[in-house]
Amino acid sequence: MIIHLRMIAVTVSSALGKLLHQSEDLHKPPHKKKYHALLQWLESHRSKLVATFPGIEDEMMQVHFVLRSDEYITDSMLEEFRRLPGVEAAYRKPEDSLPE
């Protein structure tokens, strides 16, 4: 079961957001090739992207996700994640912010 130690808010590209809302399966070609590094990072860190607004059709809102992981994501891991294809921003929500 994937737990959440600290919430990490993520913004992805509109193309990736649309794909994730349509199927959540990037393992199928041609998406696997384009997002191979992202898939590899998520798998190696036992993590997944969870839609902030599941099922929404508004493309402006489809880009918002939460990174959930079985392990603590360090600052260096987060920096590596930010550089992956399709990831536009990722930040750790402050401890005193509203719960998700």
Side-chain angles (χ1 to χ4, degrees):
M1 180 166 128
I2 293 192
I3 59 171
H4 137 95
L5 299 172
R6 284 191 184 160
M7 186 171 149
I8 297 175
V10 178
T11 304
V12 299
S13 67
S14 59
L16 179 55
K18 186 180 246 181
L19 284 172
L20 290 171
H21 278 272
Q22 288 175 351
S23 71
E24 291 191 23
D25 187 5
L26 300 177
H27 289 87
K28 297 177 184 174
H31 312 303
K32 182 175 182 173
K33 185 174 183 178
K34 183 173 185 176
Y35 298 113
H36 178 74
L38 175 61
L39 291 168
Q40 200 169 33
W41 191 96
L42 292 170
E43 288 172 9
S44 69
H45 295 292
R46 299 184 338 251
S47 301
K48 69 177 185 175
L49 289 170
V50 178
T52 304
F53 308 103
I56 196 156
E57 293 185 25
D58 182 341
E59 291 183 16
M60 298 289 288
M61 303 300 284
Q62 286 182 344
V63 299
H64 299 284
F65 288 82
V66 173
L67 179 66
R68 298 208 186 248
S69 182
D70 281 340
E71 61 185 65
Y72 178 76
I73 303 299
T74 65
D75 289 341
S76 62
M77 291 162 64
L78 187 56
E79 187 59 38
E80 179 183 301
F81 178 76
R82 285 183 187 118
R83 292 190 297 264
L84 295 170
V87 176
E88 294 195 350
Y91 67 95
R92 199 177 311 277
K93 296 271 293 190
E95 292 295 323
D96 61 351
S97 66
L98 296 175
E100 66 176 271

